[in-house]
Amino acid sequence: MNFLTRTVAAVAMVFAFAVSAHAQVKIGIVISMTGPAATLGLPQKNAIALMPKTIGGQDVEYITLDDASDPTTARRLVERLITEDKVDLLMGPTISPSALAVVEAAGRGKTPMITFAAARSIVQPLDENRQWVYKTTINDDIFAKATATYMAAHDQKKVAVIGFNDAYGESWASAFDQAAKNAGLEIVASEKFNKNDTSVTAQVLKVMAAKPDAVLVIAAGTPGVLPQSTLVERGFKGAIYQTTGVTTNDFLRVGGKAVEGAIIATGPLIVADQLPESNIAKAAATEFAKAYNDANGANSISAFPGFAWDGFLLAQAAIPVALEKAKPGTPEFRAALNDALQNSKAVVTTSGPVTLTPKDHTGFTPESLVLIQVKDGKWTYLPN
């Protein structure tokens, strides 16, 4: 090889490295801004708008895409972000069916992903693909245990369930089934419905025929109104519980008086200003709630922008660690970022301190959750 050939080869190598590495950290975000889950995804879009453009002195580029609440679209967009945009980190999707649809793509692309969806099966079992996946929602088994414990403490021994016929509904129902057994409850009826259904009268009549003391509705967004409003219309007098998937202001607006009294185990953000000073999440939750309300209108905060913001907080803690080991835009950086994420320790989030390990990709403790109730059309903190 003569001098000219060696020089050209050296320049080519430098050029190739420059092309493969990014001048900034790229974060690809897939959320539901349209479709049935838009009431969950649009608040997350508002939270993303608040995310700083630098982390650890490094510029950050956010690429935000809409999956239209469709798992197939979510997977296509995630694959595009990995192969074409070559992002360093993925965030989202918003809902469990979409998150489950992209786990394999994130793992195969060896790109860490922090999802905002709820189902425990997104991060368990921690197989090869899930080694790259994290989530910012408390596991549904923790929520289910709190819900069943509250029911038992209030002498509600016979319980019926009406849940989504999808991954979210199935995961939650499975978790609640075990929690109910442990709490000494009897599940006397279990019905399913689809998020686009316009009537659940048949399911509600079967549930009421079983004479439960309480009914648990497992749904996300405004579709959670339909079973509760139908129960009320049919004269059900027992307690009605919902899950954290409905904790949006649109649920209150659409449900009106029909959702009064609903009890939910959820994260603390939505009642941040009502939390006792001893709550481990109060400071971070109150700070973010104020920033969000200042930007989007008074009392506009809900649980869902918090899931996105907590994803940013985890990234903000991990990215500087990865920058010490590799440059953005490279496989080495993505691996270093994944390693930093799964060794995060006591990262302060709106749901309390989060510690991640290679065996725990959620990291929340039971002390993070709270019980809330709809009173006078507002989310109200419910002391145990």
Side-chain angles (χ1 to χ4, degrees):
M1 184 181 292
N2 59 32
F3 174 77
L4 179 59
T5 302
R6 291 197 299 273
T7 300
V8 169
V11 169
M13 290 179 61
V14 170
F15 179 75
F17 181 78
V19 169
S20 63
H22 296 156
Q24 71 280 59
V25 175
K26 283 189 175 183
I27 299 179
I29 305 174
V30 175
I31 54 177
S32 300
M33 292 184 276
T34 59
T39 56
L40 315 182
L42 288 173
Q44 293 174 347
K45 179 185 177 185
N46 294 335
I48 292 162
L50 298 175
M51 295 177 182
K53 301 300 185 290
T54 62
I55 295 177
Q58 187 79 29
D59 289 342
V60 178
E61 178 186 0
Y62 300 96
I63 304 172
T64 305
L65 304 174
D66 175 22
D67 66 13
S69 309
D70 177 59
T72 302
T73 302
R75 183 181 176 97
R76 176 173 55 78
L77 294 177
V78 163
E79 289 180 339
R80 171 193 139 179
L81 288 167
I82 294 172
T83 60
E84 298 182 21
D85 297 292
K86 302 188 185 306
V87 298
D88 299 295
L89 173 67
L90 294 160
M91 287 190 184
T94 301
I95 57 175
S96 296
S98 295
L100 288 167
V102 304
V103 164
E104 191 274 337
R108 177 165 43 83
K110 298 191 182 303
T111 304
M113 179 176 79
I114 304 172
T115 179
F116 313 144
R120 180 181 49 176
S121 53
I122 297 168
V123 293
Q124 292 181 3
L126 272 171
D127 57 20
E128 186 175 353
N129 289 325
R130 287 174 172 80
Q131 289 296 328
W132 296 83
V133 179
Y134 308 83
K135 74 184 184 74
T136 57
T137 57
I138 300 170
N139 277 342
D140 35 23
D141 57 340
I142 296 177
F143 285 135
K145 180 180 179 181
T147 303
T149 300
Y150 189 88
M151 290 174 173
H154 291 78
D155 203 27
Q156 295 156 359
K157 301 297 185 184
K158 294 183 177 181
V159 182
V161 177
I162 306 177
F164 266 0
N165 187 22
D166 67 7
Y168 179 73
E170 291 170 2
S171 179
W172 232 103
S174 175
F176 183 74
D177 183 65
Q178 185 60 52
K181 290 178 181 175
N182 293 341
L185 307 180
E186 179 185 1
I187 297 179
V188 295
S190 183
E191 296 292 327
K192 296 180 179 179
F193 73 108
N194 298 307
K195 58 173 67 71
N196 293 321
D197 285 350
T198 57
S199 173
V200 292
T201 300
Q203 294 94 322
V204 164
L205 290 176
K206 290 180 181 177
V207 161
M208 292 182 66
K211 301 185 182 308
D213 301 316
V215 175
L216 170 65
V217 178
I218 304 173
T222 54
V225 170
L226 183 60
Q228 183 156 355
S229 62
T230 307
L231 283 163
V232 172
E233 288 169 4
R234 293 286 171 172
F236 180 69
K237 301 300 183 184
I240 300 177
Y241 293 76
Q242 296 267 357
T243 65
T244 193
V246 303
T247 51
T248 69
N249 291 323
D250 282 332
F251 175 81
L252 297 179
R253 176 182 56 78
V254 174
K257 292 183 178 178
V259 298
E260 276 289 313
I263 299 171
I264 306 171
T266 187
L269 177 61
I270 199 164
V271 290
D273 60 343
Q274 304 171 43
L275 296 173
E277 294 298 326
S278 59
N279 187 282
I280 59 175
K282 184 175 178 64
T286 301
E287 181 182 8
F288 176 66
K290 182 181 185 307
Y292 188 90
N293 287 335
D294 288 348
N296 298 284
N299 301 316
S300 57
I301 192 68
S302 71
F304 290 87
F307 299 151
W309 186 249
D310 288 349
F312 162 75
L313 293 175
L314 290 173
Q316 181 179 242
I319 285 174
V321 178
L323 286 171
E324 293 177 357
K325 299 178 180 178
K327 292 184 178 299
T330 65
E332 292 78 11
F333 181 77
R334 292 192 289 275
L337 182 55
N338 194 54
D339 184 62
L341 280 170
Q342 68 178 350
N343 287 287
S344 299
K345 297 187 185 304
V347 177
V348 176
T349 76
T350 66
S351 292
V354 170
T355 294
L356 302 172
T357 72
K359 295 183 178 180
D360 182 1
H361 281 200
T362 301
F364 293 101
T365 65
E367 291 76 20
S368 300
L369 67 80
V370 298
L371 286 161
I372 64 173
Q373 187 171 29
V374 181
K375 289 184 177 178
D376 300 324
K378 299 178 181 177
W379 301 113
T380 305
Y381 175 67
L382 187 62
N384 288 327

